[in-house]
Amino acid sequence: MQALAAKNAQAAAGPPRQCAVPARTGSRCSRRPAQPARKAQPIFASADKVSPLKAQAVDDIAVYTEVSTQSVADAQVKLDKPRVVVLGSGWASACFFKALPKDIKEKYEVVMVSPRNYFLYTPLLPAVAVGTMEERSIVEPVRNLVLGKGDYYEAVCKAIDPVRKELVACFPKDAGLDEACFKIAYDILIIGVGSVNNTFGVKGVAEYCQFFKSIEDANTLRKRISECFERAALPYTPEEERKKLLSFVICGGGPTGVEVAAEIHDFVFNDLKAHYPELLKDVRIRVIELMDYVLSTYDRKIGEFTHKQFERAGIELVLNTRVASVRDGYVSVVPKSGEEFEIPFGSCVWATGIAMNPLIKELQQQFPEQTHFRSALTDEFLRVKGSDGSIWAFGDASTIEQPRALQRADELFEQADTNKDGLVGLKELQALLTEASKEFSHLEEHARFLEAKNKRASHLEEHARFLEAKNKRFGGLLQRALAGNSNGAESPMQTVEETDELTKEQFKALLEKIDSGLRALPATAQVAKQQGEYLAEVLKRGSFDQQAKVLQPNEKQAPFKYNHKGSLAYVGGDQAVMDIPKVGPIFGTGAGIMWKGYETFAQISLRNQLLVISDWVRTKLFGRDISRV
Ligand SMILES: Cc1cc2nc3c(=O)[nH]c(=O)nc-3n(C[C@H](O)[C@H](O)[C@H](O)COP(=O)(O)OP(=O)(O)OC[C@H]3O[C@@H](n4cnc5c(N)ncnc54)[C@H](O)[C@@H]3O)c2cc1C
């Protein structure tokens, strides 16, 4: 390996370097002296274990600088401690580092690799787009998070070689300097690269809409709003053009779309109003949503409240409507019942959904077990399926594969049939579901339902109550999971009568129905944060198996369990909506105060908390800054 790396290095680099810094120091050399650019050698080339696809992917890194080549060779030098490489600096990775104890460096060498050298508090991104918050208030340098615990390299991971346990990462071209690629070996790899925007194949979205995921997106929108108003305010702007410039279209009525619409409305009617009074009559803010109400993953009452709040404010909801295509300044939409029509816009924000990070796509090529359409499949300890336990994943980039009870149906039937008559009665079924729910947690609710039935309780009510409570805990997910029926009318247990005795085939059919209700966790910061903290715990309490070269979780380590604490969204006019487990939906000004309090104290550092407080106060006292800097 060393020899191969050195050979590649020589081939790619040519004469010896002027400055060469080992990769693990994280330092980079100054620009190299002018030389003809050399074609990169595939870093993993000629390795018989590496698939051609792998080599192909690495070969895509066009120019391989001397610095990176030197780093490639040096990256192979091993420390006496296992090296943990964490990809990404988002919610999952930042919370992972925050939760690590300082003495972790005595056990492991921990390195974060990410092209973004700051953590971004995404829930307040819509507030940045209109100047309620300043961008620096909601970002935290990752170097503050890794300080004393590990190291950080600003680089985007381009390829992973799970056989050799090494990856290729490059200092990003868009940082203004040359791209510098290097190879880094890992013992444990943790992938937290998040997701990318999803256009759902709609024509024109990438060209003419603005995405809303990064701090750059928020700044672009802030500038765009200002441009639209200034242009519309020019003396000779024709009326039609003025109306088009002042039309703000938001595609997607989920929490992000709703919050962006609410913030734009606050900005226009609180701050721009005084400066452009003659333009207000032409301002239109529209949210296009496929469903018949917005915030469809929340309690229905929340969607209804938001609808009324938006109606009062004059924000238009274009419901039951699909975006067909976008062209310069026009979005073409199709209502469920009706003809396609075009909406002109000055700015169109695309806030509809997420897709798989290309790095995960690349990983899928190497593991046939990886079949999920959006993320890396993991087990319930967050180990990537198909890897030998050396690769872990969390946050938006991962999905926990739900263990399907049906796969063990025969064994479970034998276990349930205690009197060995080839049939399973209600009591036997309940006892089995209770026992098996330790392994298959989704069986728990059905065991409880049967328990209620056995006690001759009003089973429908009990199930409905249980499902409702559970449903709230999961932000409405369970409702959809159980065939869209929250009152239990179509629950598989409904079909089991007290006198029933199930044959093996009927038992299997029942398990199949129960399994079909399984759904993945939502792609939220809340899940990513909990998974980051969980993996920090696994690393802290577990041990590195020197023989197998994998991280072994502590034997008492429980699988990851998501604890839904509630969903919230800002809906404008100092009002918010909240869907809190065991409490239910809350909305209005009181919820607005709680929302502000929560978003302040949930910041990742005290510095951010204080900056966010000062921004709320500044906005209340002086309004938002309308200059375009
Ligand atoms: C506007 C907005 C508002 C939101 N509001 C909420 C909310 O109120 N509540 C909530 O729960 N969720 C919210 N979310 C969702 C939440 O932000 C995501 O679920 C969360 O960020 C996922 O965390 P993550 O760590 O998986 O990924 P991210 O936070 O997206 O981080 C991914 C990281 O990986 C890095 N990266 C990408 N590719 C590579 C690579 N190849 N190599 C190395 N690094 C790479 C990126 O630079 C980034 O640092 C919101 C999202 C948005 C966009």
Side-chain angles (χ1 to χ4, degrees):
M1 176 69 230
Q2 283 282 22
L4 173 66
K7 204 171 152 207
N8 281 341
Q10 208 184 358
R17 292 154 312 280
Q18 298 215 325
C19 61
V21 181
R24 70 180 57 233
T25 65
S27 315
R28 285 180 296 275
C29 298
S30 57
R31 282 166 179 265
R32 59 183 172 150
Q35 274 180 39
R38 275 163 230 276
K39 178 83 182 90
Q41 294 296 309
I43 299 164
F44 300 131
S46 84
D48 43 1
K49 289 187 214 159
V50 180
S51 67
L53 232 153
K54 178 86 226 109
Q56 171 74 44
V58 178
D59 204 17
D60 282 343
I61 302 163
V63 178
Y64 201 96
T65 65
E66 292 167 22
V67 176
S68 61
T69 313
Q70 170 65 22
S71 302
V72 169
D74 286 346
Q76 304 312 307
V77 179
K78 283 274 186 184
L79 285 182
D80 52 350
K81 283 176 275 187
R83 182 187 283 155
V84 182
V85 176
V86 184
L87 299 181
S89 51
W91 271 98
S93 309
C95 294
F96 169 82
F97 265 89
K98 199 171 174 219
L100 283 180
K102 287 260 178 198
D103 63 6
I104 198 74
K105 58 181 185 297
E106 284 160 24
K107 248 171 107 180
Y108 300 100
E109 183 207 358
V110 194
V111 181
M112 177 191 273
V113 175
S114 174
R116 202 179 70 191
N117 80 349
Y118 56 86
F119 161 77
L120 170 64
Y121 187 87
T122 46
L124 284 182
L125 203 57
V128 170
V130 296
T132 313
M133 285 291 135
E134 288 304 330
E135 61 177 44
R136 298 231 164 227
S137 305
I138 63 162
V139 306
E140 178 71 7
V142 289
R143 287 197 176 270
N144 286 352
L145 299 171
V146 305
L147 194 67
K149 298 178 183 176
D151 212 338
Y152 167 69
Y153 300 151
E154 181 171 321
V156 58
C157 175
K158 299 244 179 169
I160 300 167
D161 182 345
V163 179
R164 294 183 168 186
K165 298 194 178 166
E166 55 196 25
L167 51 89
V168 178
C170 298
F171 178 75
K173 254 193 219 143
D174 59 8
L177 298 171
D178 294 346
E179 185 180 50
C181 298
F182 58 93
K183 193 155 87 170
I184 181 166
Y186 64 82
D187 295 293
I188 301 160
L189 178 66
I190 303 179
I191 304 177
V193 295
S195 52
V196 296
N197 291 302
N198 196 345
T199 63
F200 298 99
V202 176
K203 213 173 119 206
V205 169
E207 293 88 342
Y208 304 111
C209 290
Q210 288 176 245
F211 292 121
F212 202 78
K213 206 166 167 41
S214 64
I215 207 86
E216 292 81 10
D217 294 338
N219 284 334
T220 306
L221 181 58
R222 189 172 177 180
K223 284 187 178 157
R224 182 72 186 166
I225 297 169
S226 167
E227 278 167 6
C228 288
F229 270 84
E230 295 298 4
R231 179 76 185 266
L234 293 180
Y236 301 111
T237 303
E239 190 186 344
E240 200 183 324
E241 172 72 4
R242 194 171 62 237
K243 286 186 171 164
K244 182 167 173 268
L245 285 164
L246 298 175
S247 162
F248 300 96
V249 174
I250 294 104
C251 305
T256 302
V258 161
E259 288 189 341
V260 169
E263 291 282 359
I264 294 178
H265 182 272
D266 280 4
F267 183 41
V268 172
F269 292 93
N270 293 345
D271 304 282
L272 298 180
K273 190 175 156 187
H275 304 280
Y276 310 90
E278 69 291 352
L279 296 185
L280 289 187
K281 63 177 185 348
D282 292 328
V283 174
R284 290 184 79 173
I285 304 168
R286 279 171 275 210
V287 178
I288 303 170
E289 167 58 45
L290 193 64
M291 309 278 284
D292 60 347
Y293 63 112
V294 288
L295 297 177
S296 57
T297 52
Y298 292 21
D299 189 290
R300 179 83 196 216
K301 287 195 196 110
I302 283 181
E304 284 162 6
F305 173 83
T306 309
H307 195 137
K308 283 195 193 122
Q309 159 72 7
F310 274 17
E311 241 170 26
R312 275 193 298 270
I315 300 173
E316 297 165 54
L317 293 180
V318 186
L319 301 172
N320 288 312
T321 300
R322 172 175 69 83
V323 175
S325 62
V326 188
R327 65 184 176 100
D328 195 5
Y330 295 89
V331 52
S332 193
V333 297
V334 191
K336 266 186 192 153
S337 51
E339 294 281 291
E340 183 166 342
F341 65 96
E342 279 197 324
I343 302 174
F345 64 80
S347 175
C348 177
V349 178
W350 188 258
T352 59
I354 56 172
M356 184 184 273
N357 185 302
L359 188 71
I360 305 295
K361 236 180 233 171
E362 216 258 330
L363 197 74
Q364 281 190 339
Q365 311 289 341
Q366 306 177 50
F367 298 119
E369 299 83 348
Q370 292 294 333
T371 50
H372 198 263
F373 68 100
R374 205 194 62 200
S375 41
L377 273 177
T378 71
D379 68 6
E380 51 202 342
F381 290 93
L382 309 185
R383 281 180 291 224
V384 168
K385 296 247 343 168
S387 78
D388 56 3
S390 58
I391 307 183
W392 303 61
F394 52 13
D396 284 5
S398 73
T399 296
I400 299 174
E401 192 179 51
Q402 311 275 354
R404 304 217 162 239
L406 185 63
Q407 283 166 2
R408 297 218 2 240
D410 288 326
E411 202 183 315
L412 291 175
F413 188 83
E414 291 307 314
Q415 200 180 322
D417 184 14
T418 45
N419 59 4
K420 303 293 168 207
D421 63 353
L423 295 168
V424 167
L426 199 64
K427 280 207 170 103
E428 287 174 321
L429 186 62
Q430 187 218 319
L432 172 87
L433 293 183
T434 307
E435 183 57 27
S437 64
K438 288 176 194 155
E439 188 181 346
F440 305 104
S441 57
H442 62 294
L443 299 183
E444 185 193 338
E445 62 187 278
H446 305 286
R448 284 184 54 180
F449 179 68
L450 283 185
E451 190 185 357
K453 216 171 184 179
N454 276 338
K455 284 182 188 160
R456 300 187 183 283
S458 162
H459 58 265
L460 268 178
E461 269 178 38
E462 168 74 7
H463 195 47
R465 265 204 307 278
F466 178 74
L467 281 180
E468 199 185 323
K470 184 110 178 165
N471 197 31
K472 276 180 192 152
R473 274 214 299 136
F474 287 91
L477 273 179
L478 193 80
Q479 185 173 25
R480 284 177 291 136
L482 283 175
N485 195 323
S486 65
N487 63 15
E490 286 177 23
S491 163
M493 290 302 150
Q494 190 78 36
T495 56
V496 184
E497 293 302 328
E498 280 172 56
T499 50
D500 267 358
E501 291 198 297
L502 306 181
T503 63
K504 198 187 250 187
E505 286 319 302
Q506 286 169 325
F507 177 76
K508 281 184 177 174
L510 191 70
L511 283 189
E512 195 173 358
K513 266 193 183 170
I514 294 175
D515 280 351
S516 69
L518 279 168
R519 288 292 183 276
L521 294 175
T524 63
Q526 209 178 141
V527 173
K529 177 177 188 283
Q530 289 180 25
Q531 291 186 334
E533 289 165 352
Y534 171 81
L535 268 196
E537 189 69 16
V538 172
L539 194 68
K540 193 174 81 185
R541 296 176 58 207
S543 55
F544 186 73
D545 183 335
Q546 290 290 354
Q547 214 108 65
K549 299 273 177 226
V550 291
L551 170 65
Q552 290 293 0
N554 183 293
E555 56 190 22
K556 291 196 185 128
Q557 184 74 51
F560 173 75
K561 198 160 186 189
Y562 174 56
N563 174 17
H564 185 68
K565 294 184 178 154
S567 311
L568 43 157
Y570 179 65
V571 294
D574 285 332
Q575 307 206 43
V577 292
M578 296 178 143
D579 195 358
I580 302 177
K582 297 199 181 115
V583 176
I586 308 176
F587 25 74
T589 311
I593 295 168
M594 285 158 70
W595 172 79
K596 274 190 187 163
Y598 177 80
E599 298 299 11
T600 304
F601 291 103
Q603 293 296 319
I604 201 156
S605 70
L606 178 64
R607 189 188 72 91
N608 288 125
Q609 287 174 351
L610 295 177
L611 288 172
V612 166
I613 293 173
S614 81
D615 278 353
W616 295 127
V617 175
R618 172 188 50 77
T619 302
K620 270 283 162 238
L621 292 181
F622 307 111
R624 297 163 183 88
D625 182 349
I626 66 164
S627 54
R628 192 167 77 252
V629 287

